[in-house]
Amino acid sequence: MPVSIDIIPFSDSLELYGEPDFSSAFSLAGHVSISLSSPSFMFQRRRSTTRALMQSLTVTFEGQSEIITPDIGYAPLRLCSITRELVNGEPVDLSNEGHEDSNKPCSWNVIFDIPVPGWLPTTSTYGDRSAVEAGTRYALYATATFTYLEDGSSSIFSNFCSPFSCRTHTINAPRCPVTLARLAEVPSAPSSSSSTSVFPMALFIVDAQSGQDGAETDTTAIPPEILKKIQVVASIPNAVTLDETSVPLILRLQGNELDGSQRERLRITDFTVDVEQIETYRSTTSLDCVARFMVPPRTQQPPSLPLRNTHSVHTLYEVGLLMTPYPSKSTSTRSFSLFDPSNSGKYIISGDGRIFVHDSPKGSATTPQSENWYVLEANVPLTPEPSQLDWAGLRSRRISENSPLFSVCHLMHIALRCAYEQPDGEVVCERLHFSLPMQHVRMAVPKINPSPVDRTIVGAMELQKSVPYSQSLPAYSQLFYSNGERKIDYSTPLPLYEPPSASSSSSFTLDNSDDDRKSIP
């Protein structure tokens, strides 16, 4: 065919910065390349001129999610569909006149810029590991409508076939995949010096719940009024990057409301920690979950309007070769620990465990009551590489996100083991357990400034050859707040004021046409 189109984005990946936001958008720019060439025919010495009238040119950014699980089967959803018309007004006349015999086609580039919603989930693969490439995907599509025009120099073969051929043709560009990645913004305030995390520590006032130790079978428990007097404050980072292999944890315990006898009898012997990743798969029947997102209406969803790049397994469900095992079930969950199987997550407290004995109920002259805290610190290790496999593939760490069909959340489970000596001498054990929400994020790879050898000097300007300009530009959220105010980094001090030197303001040099330099005072 003499006319072809291709989509060439400035970058095949789009980085979304910050938390998902329905009111924000990111720019996906590029151009659609239109190529026009002259076909060659037998018994024709010179190729004829090709003329085409481009009536329309549209580019569409479309996202889709597909899940496949053993219990809820296959579920498709169109996340977004944004179309831009690039030919406005009159049709565009294209011709390769003067370049008919060239080995290279004549090309025109039409620029496009599509606003991508800021709430969209990242590109990822999930679901049944036997179904390859199921998950969240995005791509660009382009369609052009042309009318071929006669130029008076057509070949005998083309003239013979013209009554039987249609002059108006619709051409589709090859699918252009686009990867969406969400990156966390680097915190402006550094974390505390004692913390190994990139992000600052978050404080949680915990409402711990009591529960018997699973290793014990007796029904005797610690009196609830004693356990309620134990105050617990926990600290973990605001976010944890996927590159970090440990998470700092700080626990502060206080028992100021305990009397002297209760302090002697109560011991905290150890505590256990576990980090859990919970993946939730949803079908399109859970309308309450899908309605929270700004997805296209049901008239633009399968099966009313099929996806452009549907998974091959959907045909098996349509013809009835595969059936949904549990039609009434709308969700499926996979949860697992992010610890190495050899890591028990248990931490032994040194000493006899009577951590509240030295706390005075009324405080002292040097230590107020509000500062009588017993502090426990630990670096909780996470498994660097997944080693276990199940129906959904490797149990690997993912970022925390929430999408219409697939969600990932993380929790840190903590249990304090308490031992209490009854007045009759019997020792009973119980656990205070609670969970802390975690946020796992992906950080941008820091760009390393190239060495002078990798730079090309042109006059007085240095042009970096390796970094494209579209990837070196910062995101809008890195420069401005959501209300439009500019972000100012106060941690970087302003340069000191230096008065201008006398020599720099006394004279300057001009070059005249005969290379005669004159100094003007």
Side-chain angles (χ1 to χ4, degrees), residues 412-426:
M412 177 179 285
H413 304 290
I414 303 173
L416 297 167
R417 189 172 187 271
C418 307
Y420 186 75
E421 183 179 354
Q422 301 277 19
D424 57 358
E426 181 185 3

Side-chain angles (χ1 to χ4, degrees), residues 264-316:
E264 287 288 342
R265 298 176 183 274
L266 183 62
R267 294 182 295 123
I268 308 295
T269 59
D270 60 75
F271 67 95
T272 56
V273 183
D274 189 18
V275 177
E276 184 183 22
Q277 177 171 300
I278 305 172
E279 301 174 359
T280 303
Y281 303 82
R282 305 184 187 93
S283 67
T284 53
T285 57
S286 60
L287 299 179
D288 54 340
C289 297
V290 177
R292 293 182 299 167
F293 299 90
M294 300 176 62
V295 297
R298 297 187 65 89
T299 56
Q300 300 179 20
Q301 298 290 348
S304 300
L305 183 62
L307 300 177
R308 290 177 180 259
N309 187 29
T310 311
H311 196 280
S312 57
V313 77
H314 90 283
T315 306
L316 301 179

Side-chain angles (χ1 to χ4, degrees), residues 134-314:
T136 300
R137 291 175 290 173
Y138 301 91
L140 286 168
Y141 304 89
T143 302
T145 302
F146 291 92
T147 299
Y148 293 114
L149 304 177
E150 292 288 350
D151 59 354
S153 59
S154 302
S155 65
I156 300 176
F157 180 79
S158 62
N159 292 333
F160 175 78
C161 296
S162 60
F164 308 99
S165 62
C166 181
R167 289 295 180 178
T168 302
H169 297 270
T170 299
I171 302 173
N172 296 318
R175 176 177 175 269
C176 180
V178 178
T179 302
L180 263 61
R182 186 167 299 279
L183 304 177
E185 297 184 12
V186 179
S188 56
S191 59
S192 59
S193 57
S194 60
S195 175
T196 59
S197 177
V198 179
F199 292 86
M201 302 292 285
L203 199 65
F204 295 90
I205 300 177
V206 175
D207 182 16
Q209 303 295 321
S210 60
Q212 278 201 340
D213 194 335
E216 284 129 22
T217 56
D218 56 16
T219 58
T220 306
I222 302 176
E225 61 272 11
I226 295 179
L227 294 178
K228 289 182 179 179
K229 296 179 181 179
I230 301 177
Q231 301 178 19
V232 183
V233 176
S235 296
I236 58 174
N238 281 332
V240 181
T241 65
L242 296 184
D243 298 330
E244 293 182 272
T245 57
S246 63
V247 181
L249 169 65
I250 301 177
L251 296 177
R252 294 175 174 88
L253 309 179
Q254 190 182 66
N256 289 333
E257 297 181 2
L258 296 171
D259 58 30
S261 175
Q262 293 171 345
R263 294 169 185 271
E264 287 288 342
R265 298 176 183 274
L266 183 62
R267 294 182 295 123
I268 308 295
T269 59
D270 60 75
F271 67 95
T272 56
V273 183
D274 189 18
V275 177
E276 184 183 22
Q277 177 171 300
I278 305 172
E279 301 174 359
T280 303
Y281 303 82
R282 305 184 187 93
S283 67
T284 53
T285 57
S286 60
L287 299 179
D288 54 340
C289 297
V290 177
R292 293 182 299 167
F293 299 90
M294 300 176 62
V295 297
R298 297 187 65 89
T299 56
Q300 300 179 20
Q301 298 290 348
S304 300
L305 183 62
L307 300 177
R308 290 177 180 259
N309 187 29
T310 311
H311 196 280
S312 57
V313 77
H314 90 283

Side-chain angles (χ1 to χ4, degrees), residues 8 57 59 76 78 87 111 212 231 235 244 251 275 288 362 368 373 392 451 457 515:
I8 304 177
L57 176 62
V59 60
R78 178 175 279 103
V87 176
I111 302 295
Q212 278 201 340
Q231 301 178 19
S235 296
E244 293 182 272
L251 296 177
V275 177
D288 54 340
K362 298 182 180 180
W373 294 95
S451 61
I457 301 178
D515 295 334

